């Protein structure tokens, strides 16, 4: 049997080798940890920038919303005020219209009374005129009869014609009134 002998390992070399490998692994782990920390820091910075942008956009959107609400409220108040004014004007116009209708009714009643009075006066004038015409006819007939019976009495005939003329003028004046 042959004895095989393995060369004796150098425990110090193995320890250094292992120490170097451990140091390399530790350095690699430190680099990876540093890369993770840098990536985490970059991600945190990006998130911070995104949060700031989102906050600014949210503030702008909120401000615009408040502005729109304020303007909408003012517009609504203005419209409501205009509508109230228009309603007041319409109400005043309706009252004025009703007053005018009442005045027109009163005037129509008065006009009806005037028309009735004018018709009554017209009928009385017509009756008076008819009477005067009858008197005129009677006077003319009387003159003609007197003239036929007494051709020498010219002076009374002139006086009678003058009286008839005055009666006719008086009748015409009354009809014009």
């Amino acid at each position: 049997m042959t004895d095989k002998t393995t060369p004796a390992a150098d425990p110090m070399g193995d320890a250094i080798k292992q120490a170097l490998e451990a140091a390399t692994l530790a350095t690699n782990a430190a680099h990876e940890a540093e890369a993770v920390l840098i990536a985490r820091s970059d991600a945190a910075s990006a998130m911070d920038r995104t949060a700031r942008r989102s906050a600014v956009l949210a503030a702008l959107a909120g401000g615009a919303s408040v502005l729109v609400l304020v303007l909408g409220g003012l517009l609504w108040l203005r419209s409501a005020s205009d509508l109230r004014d228009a309603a007041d004007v319409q109400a005043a116009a309706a009252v004025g219209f009703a007053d005018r209708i009442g005045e027109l009714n009163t005037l129509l009643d008065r006009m009806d009374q005037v028309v009735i009075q004018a018709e009554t006066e017209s009928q009385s004038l017509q009756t008076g005129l008819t009477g005067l015409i009858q008197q005129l006819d009677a006077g003319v007939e009387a003159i003609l009869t007197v003239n036929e019976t007494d051709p020498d009495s010219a002076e009374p005939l002139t006086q009678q014609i003058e009286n008839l003329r005055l009666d006719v003028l008086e009748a015409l004046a009354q009809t014009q009134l």
Side-chain angles (χ1 to χ4, degrees):
M1 307 202 67
T2 58
D3 266 319
K4 285 190 176 182
T5 59
T6 54
D10 187 18
M12 187 63 106
D14 283 338
I16 290 176
K17 195 177 181 184
Q18 284 179 352
L20 284 175
E21 284 179 14
T24 303
L25 288 174
T27 302
N28 287 341
H31 284 294
E32 285 179 16
E34 184 182 0
V36 166
L37 287 175
I38 290 173
R40 184 178 154 262
S41 176
D42 289 343
S45 296
M47 286 178 69
D48 188 40
R49 283 192 307 267
T50 303
R52 275 192 235 126
R53 285 181 192 155
S54 295
V56 168
L57 288 176
L60 287 175
S65 298
V66 168
L67 181 65
V68 166
L69 283 174
V70 167
L71 289 177
L74 291 175
L75 183 64
W76 177 78
L77 289 173
R78 174 74 187 252
S79 297
S81 173
D82 289 346
L83 287 174
R84 273 191 297 270
D85 291 344
D88 291 343
V89 167
Q90 293 255 337
V95 167
F97 183 71
D99 289 345
R100 293 290 181 207
I101 294 283
E103 290 173 5
L104 284 175
N105 282 337
T106 304
L107 290 175
L108 284 175
D109 290 342
R110 287 177 50 199
M111 191 166 59
D112 286 342
Q113 291 172 355
V114 168
V115 167
I116 290 170
Q117 185 180 6
E119 286 175 353
T120 305
E121 288 177 4
S122 174
Q123 287 176 355
S124 68
L125 282 176
Q126 184 72 23
T127 305
L129 206 64
T130 304
L132 285 175
I133 289 173
Q134 288 174 354
Q135 285 177 1
L136 185 63
D137 285 344
V140 168
E141 244 182 76
I143 290 173
L144 289 176
T145 353
V146 167
N147 198 14
E148 285 177 5
T149 57
D150 192 9
D152 290 334
S153 65
E155 191 169 319
L157 182 63
T158 308
Q159 183 62 32
Q160 289 176 356
I161 290 174
E162 184 62 29
N163 288 341
L164 282 175
R165 184 171 103 34
L166 290 174
D167 288 344
V168 168
L169 286 175
E170 185 181 333
L172 286 174
Q174 286 182 357
T175 56
Q176 287 178 357
L177 285 176

